[in-house]
Amino acid sequence: MAQYYRQGHEAYQQGQRALAKQLSEKGSGHKRKMERLNVEAGAWIFRGDHKPGEVDLHGLYVKEAVMYAEDAIEKAQSRGDLEIRLLVGKGLHSDGQVAKIKPALEELMKRRSLPADVDPDNAGLLIIRLR
């Protein structure tokens, strides 16, 4: 994808507008395909078995994890659950071993005014109180 954009940029600078457009369209096609495959992969990763009241968000991109967490929270609230447990991981497999999902969900809980506590026995588990 990036290769097509780079080549398209070079072609444009050389005055080859038709070729630049062609390469740009190829790059855009690859980008759309990549985005579609990322969504499918996220759904496949998330599809695993879940215990009631627990959602495993490991392996997802932050945007996907937030989307699935919001959906799970809404469903838990509509059932009248008191809490939901979000398995977010510790970030050990992230770039630089820095957690990305956990801080994003902690911020989401602040915006939604929902108390979120880290499980004392598992730093990769957020317990969200729904009432």
Side-chain angles (χ1 to χ4, degrees), residues 64-126:
E64 296 166 335
V66 168
M67 179 188 72
Y68 284 117
E70 286 179 317
D71 184 57
I73 289 166
E74 287 174 18
K75 287 177 181 174
Q77 287 175 322
S78 69
R79 287 189 307 265
D81 295 355
L82 298 177
E83 71 178 27
I84 188 166
R85 302 165 71 80
L86 303 177
L87 293 159
V88 296
K90 300 174 188 174
L92 300 178
H93 302 288
S94 297
D95 292 337
Q97 296 190 334
V98 175
K100 293 182 176 81
I101 294 174
K102 184 173 157 185
L105 291 180
E106 288 172 326
E107 181 59 34
L108 173 66
M109 297 311 125
K110 284 180 189 174
R111 286 195 314 267
R112 293 184 72 152
S113 300
L114 292 171
D117 299 307
V118 176
D119 184 292
D121 299 320
N122 182 350
L125 175 65
L126 286 178

